[in-house]
Amino acid sequence: MTPRIVSSERRLRRGYLGQKEVLWAAALALAPLAATADPAADYAEHCASCHAEDRLGGTGPALIPETLGRVKGLDEVIAHGRPATQMEGFVDRLSEPQIAALVEFIKAPLAETPSWTVADIEASREMEADYTPAEAPVFDADPMNITLVVETGDHHVSVLDGDTLDVVDRFPTPYAVHGGPKFSPDGRYVFIMSRDGWVQKYDIWSLREVGQVRAGLNSRNIAMSHDGKWLAVANYLPHTLTILSTEDLTPVKVLEVKARDGSESRVSAVYQAPQRRSFILALKDAPEIWEVATDPEAGPFHDGFVHSHEKGMEESVGAQKGLFARRRIVIEEPLDDFFFDPDYRHLIGTNREGTKGVVVNLDVGREIAELPLPGMPHLGSGITWDRNGHKVMATPHLNEGVLSVIDMTDWSLVKAIKTNGPGFFLRSHETSPHVWADVFFGPHRDEVHIIDKQTLEIVKTLNPAPGKTVAHTEFTRDGKYALVSIWEDDGAVVVYDAATLEEVRRLPMRKPSGKYNVWNKITFSDGTSH
Ligand code: DHE
């Protein structure tokens, strides 16, 4: 099937651009406040044209609990719209009880798991009509020191020159980007995913979007294959893993995720394991880890054994081999949120309740150790470094003000570093003696701890914008600067000299979240989560 070729006008339709002024007073004066609420009828009349009758999204995002779960103030959005998008306010047409009933309506689960087949994915694919790849970067900056800033306030990405710290481009993204964008191994292209399942391809050299495709209906994250040919998309809805060609975003395979007992599972996350030439999948609802080969020579992987009467012995069934062959690793209970050691032989996962960590040896395919990691460790943010000749890893905890530092040679707990509250992200760099750790939750959410990698002591606490949430650090390629987000709609990226810890520049941004340096990401720097 040929993809739809679109121009940048599409962005306008999708609501990335365009200003909608909400005239409060006039709207209120006009409001015919209805006495009773019929949310299904109100949805059909006011919402379905943009968000689709089935609530799975159209020009507007999907309105389902899986994506709305984290959005606060939905009543405000319905009443007054979202600035800088096509979402208008309905306060002139819907009463307060009608809006409250609509919020409940869109937060209710869908009656059944919707399907999203290869044909649906293919039909959603849109490639930019006037895109021609540039022969060389169209800017003077070092392409390996480009740093992307995801701005969730108005769904854009800013492309920063890591040396001059100037913004060389700013482009619209799909709604609600989550997880780290993934770069092609040469650092030229980047792939960005939204919780609505849209995957966008952007050419950094040309400073141009290449295209977009909807790979799932509610997606978690993406991973790049070792050779840069395939991009895997982990989906909650439907229960699948979508594999796209990185060349033109064509869906090449959709794996239905069914456990050994036949039950379906959501995919919590997919990880790239370049040394293993595979993707590793965390399954939310099944006690299994999946490894999907990106190597055409892989396998065979045996799914199980049956007694063969003919041969009088156990014989393997369901063996898979070659590209995208799947290997199941059966574990005791479902694990999600993984961290890998640098050679990808081991992974650490947390159980559902987030009360412990489990080490799985991926080569032999079984659990080999348990770690004392209470308080919901956020392993996806873990980083590693060398300390006294040992490789250590550190992870924050989402509901405890502590960072756990683990010795990766014997999996012992080296230290639980007490912080001023639970944090979300950690970052360091090979050239930096420090770990930068935010305090995302609680009264100290405006602080960033600077921790000595050897003594494991907090040596300084920065407070770049008192009272505002401050989170997520990224270093430039050479480790000279550390960039921290002021996670507010009228926020900023604050640039620090990583050696002196002094602020050198403040770049205004719309709710900047993650930042991603091309070099640090494509070289799998120890200081960054992968
Ligand atoms: Fe994330 C990365 C899971 C909530 C911002 N988050 C990740 C990754 C996972 C994950 C598995 C690593 C994937 C990758 O980068 O490829 N996140 C989860 C959750 O399970 C959780 C707790 C609940 C959820 O609703 O999904 C969660 N995450 C959040 C947020 O609330 C954050 C702060 C704001 C948001 O955008 O939703 C958030 N997560 C991020 C960011 C990264 C991320 C910015 C990439 C960090 C990086 O440096 O690579």
Side-chain angles (χ1 to χ4, degrees), residues 445-467:
R445 64 184 196 287
D446 52 3
E447 295 177 359
V448 180
H449 292 309
I450 310 294
I451 299 164
D452 186 297
K453 279 156 112 175
Q454 301 309 315
T455 64
L456 305 182
E457 297 291 336
I458 296 175
V459 292
K460 190 165 182 175
T461 295
L462 304 171
N463 192 331

Side-chain angles (χ1 to χ4, degrees), residues 218-238:
N218 179 245
S219 304
R220 298 286 297 162
N221 78 323
I222 49 178
M224 172 70 61
S225 65
H226 70 282
D227 53 8
K229 287 187 179 163
W230 318 111
L231 191 81
V233 187
N235 299 318
Y236 261 8
L237 274 183

Side-chain angles (χ1 to χ4, degrees), residues 66 69-70 150 152 176-182 195 219-223 236 268-272 282 284 336-338 376 378-381 398 424-427 440-441 471-474 487 511 513-516 521 528-530:
E66 290 81 357
R70 312 187 60 76
V150 174
T152 55
V177 166
H178 177 244
K182 298 290 159 6
R195 288 192 189 255
S219 304
R220 298 286 297 162
N221 78 323
I222 49 178
Y236 261 8
S268 286
V270 57
Y271 302 87
Q272 44 206 4
K284 184 84 180 163
D336 56 20
D337 203 7
F338 290 168
M376 296 205 77
H378 191 309
L379 295 168
S381 299
L398 293 182
F424 227 106
F425 305 106
L426 296 180
R427 270 291 205 277
F440 200 86
F441 305 96
H472 197 279
T473 306
E474 174 62 305
W487 203 287
K511 204 171 188 186
S513 62
K515 299 165 297 301
Y516 309 90
K521 283 294 177 188
T528 175
S529 40
H530 302 147

